[in-house]
Protein backbone atom coordinates (compact mmCIF):
# COMPACT_ATOMS: atom_id res chain seq x y z
CA UNK A 1 0.00 0.00 0.00
CA UNK A 2 1.31 3.43 -1.02
CA UNK A 3 0.19 6.97 -0.14
CA UNK A 4 0.85 9.83 -2.54
CA UNK A 5 0.05 13.51 -2.30
CA UNK A 6 -0.48 14.93 -5.78
CA UNK A 7 -0.97 18.54 -6.86
CA UNK A 8 -2.02 19.16 -10.46
CA UNK A 9 -1.50 22.60 -12.02
CA UNK A 10 -2.87 24.16 -15.19
CA UNK A 11 -6.43 24.48 -16.47
CA UNK A 12 -7.73 21.87 -14.04
CA UNK A 13 -10.71 23.57 -12.40
CA UNK A 14 -14.06 23.85 -14.16
CA UNK A 15 -13.27 20.85 -16.39
CA UNK A 16 -14.68 18.03 -14.19
CA UNK A 17 -11.19 17.10 -12.99
CA UNK A 18 -12.39 16.14 -9.50
CA UNK A 19 -15.29 14.01 -10.76
CA UNK A 20 -13.08 12.26 -13.32
CA UNK A 21 -10.40 11.64 -10.67
CA UNK A 22 -12.99 10.06 -8.39
CA UNK A 23 -14.27 7.83 -11.21
CA UNK A 24 -10.75 6.60 -12.00
CA UNK A 25 -9.91 6.14 -8.30
CA UNK A 26 -13.11 4.15 -7.71
CA UNK A 27 -12.33 1.88 -10.69
CA UNK A 28 -8.83 1.27 -9.30
CA UNK A 29 -9.97 0.80 -5.67
CA UNK A 30 -7.89 3.82 -4.64
CA UNK A 31 -8.88 5.56 -1.41
CA UNK A 32 -8.34 9.24 -0.59
CA UNK A 33 -9.56 12.73 -1.44
CA UNK A 34 -9.56 15.28 -4.23
CA UNK A 35 -10.25 19.00 -3.87
CA UNK A 36 -9.81 22.31 -5.64
CA UNK A 37 -7.23 24.70 -4.22
CA UNK A 38 -7.58 28.51 -4.05
CA UNK A 39 -4.58 28.89 -6.42
CA UNK A 40 -6.43 27.03 -9.21
CA UNK A 41 -4.69 23.68 -8.71
CA UNK A 42 -6.25 20.35 -7.75
CA UNK A 43 -5.01 18.55 -4.63
CA UNK A 44 -5.22 14.75 -4.37
CA UNK A 45 -4.32 12.27 -1.65
CA UNK A 46 -4.34 8.72 -3.02
CA UNK A 47 -3.77 5.38 -1.30
CA UNK A 48 -3.62 2.04 -3.05
CA UNK A 49 -1.37 -0.62 -4.47
CA UNK A 50 1.65 0.44 -6.54
CA UNK A 51 0.09 -0.43 -9.93
CA UNK A 52 -3.16 1.46 -9.24
CA UNK A 53 -1.48 4.55 -7.84
CA UNK A 54 1.00 4.65 -10.75
CA UNK A 55 -1.92 4.43 -13.19
CA UNK A 56 -3.64 7.36 -11.43
CA UNK A 57 -0.39 9.37 -11.50
CA UNK A 58 -0.06 8.80 -15.26
CA UNK A 59 -3.70 9.79 -15.75
CA UNK A 60 -3.17 13.01 -13.76
CA UNK A 61 -0.57 14.13 -16.32
CA UNK A 62 -3.36 14.27 -18.94
CA UNK A 63 -6.59 14.66 -16.94
CA UNK A 64 -10.07 14.73 -18.46
CA UNK A 65 -10.76 15.95 -22.00
CA UNK A 66 -10.95 19.71 -21.38
CA UNK A 67 -8.08 19.91 -18.90
CA UNK A 68 -4.69 21.39 -19.75
CA UNK A 69 -2.19 19.97 -17.28
CA UNK A 70 0.98 22.04 -16.99
CA UNK A 71 2.66 20.38 -14.02
CA UNK A 72 2.13 17.54 -11.53
CA UNK A 73 3.90 17.54 -8.15
CA UNK A 74 4.03 14.20 -6.32
CA UNK A 75 5.32 13.20 -2.92
CA UNK A 76 5.07 9.94 -1.02
CA UNK A 77 3.75 10.03 2.52
CA UNK A 78 2.40 7.98 5.40
CA UNK A 79 -0.74 5.90 4.99
CA UNK A 80 -3.84 7.62 6.44
CA UNK A 81 -6.15 4.62 5.92
CA UNK A 82 -8.92 6.40 4.03
CA UNK A 83 -12.12 4.35 3.85
CA UNK A 84 -13.16 5.55 0.37
CA UNK A 85 -12.36 8.18 -2.24
CA UNK A 86 -14.27 11.40 -1.97
CA UNK A 87 -14.53 14.85 -3.48
CA UNK A 88 -13.99 17.52 -0.84
CA UNK A 89 -16.06 20.60 -1.57
CA UNK A 90 -15.59 24.08 -0.16
CA UNK A 91 -17.16 24.69 3.20
CA UNK A 92 -19.66 27.50 3.26
CA UNK A 93 -19.78 29.78 6.25
Amino acid sequence: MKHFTITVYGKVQGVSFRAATKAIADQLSIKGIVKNQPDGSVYIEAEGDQFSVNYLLDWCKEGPDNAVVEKVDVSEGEIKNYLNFEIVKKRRI
Side-chain angles (χ1 to χ4, degrees):
M1 178 82 85
K2 297 280 189 179
H3 174 101
F4 286 102
T5 299
I6 307 159
T7 305
V8 185
Y9 299 91
K11 183 185 171 201
V12 293
Q13 290 188 15
V15 294
S16 299
F17 203 101
R18 291 176 302 162
T21 302
K22 177 170 173 37
I24 295 288
D26 287 347
Q27 288 175 357
L28 296 169
S29 298
I30 291 174
K31 312 297 184 207
I33 61 167
V34 59
K35 64 182 178 178
N36 285 340
Q37 297 289 81
D39 66 359
S41 65
V42 171
Y43 175 84
I44 303 164
E45 288 191 22
E47 295 182 350
D49 64 65
Q50 187 72 53
F51 172 82
S52 297
V53 175
N54 282 345
Y55 187 95
L56 178 67
L57 287 170
D58 286 342
W59 179 85
C60 285
K61 294 173 185 170
E62 299 292 324
D65 286 345
N66 293 324
V68 179
V69 176
E70 294 172 0
K71 181 173 82 162
V72 178
D73 286 342
V74 182
S75 62
E76 193 167 350
E78 291 190 33
I79 300 291
K80 295 186 180 178
N81 292 310
Y82 286 104
L83 299 177
N84 55 19
F85 194 92
E86 64 182 61
I87 297 171
V88 177
K89 303 201 186 232
K90 286 186 212 170
R91 294 192 178 129
R92 298 193 180 173
I93 300 172

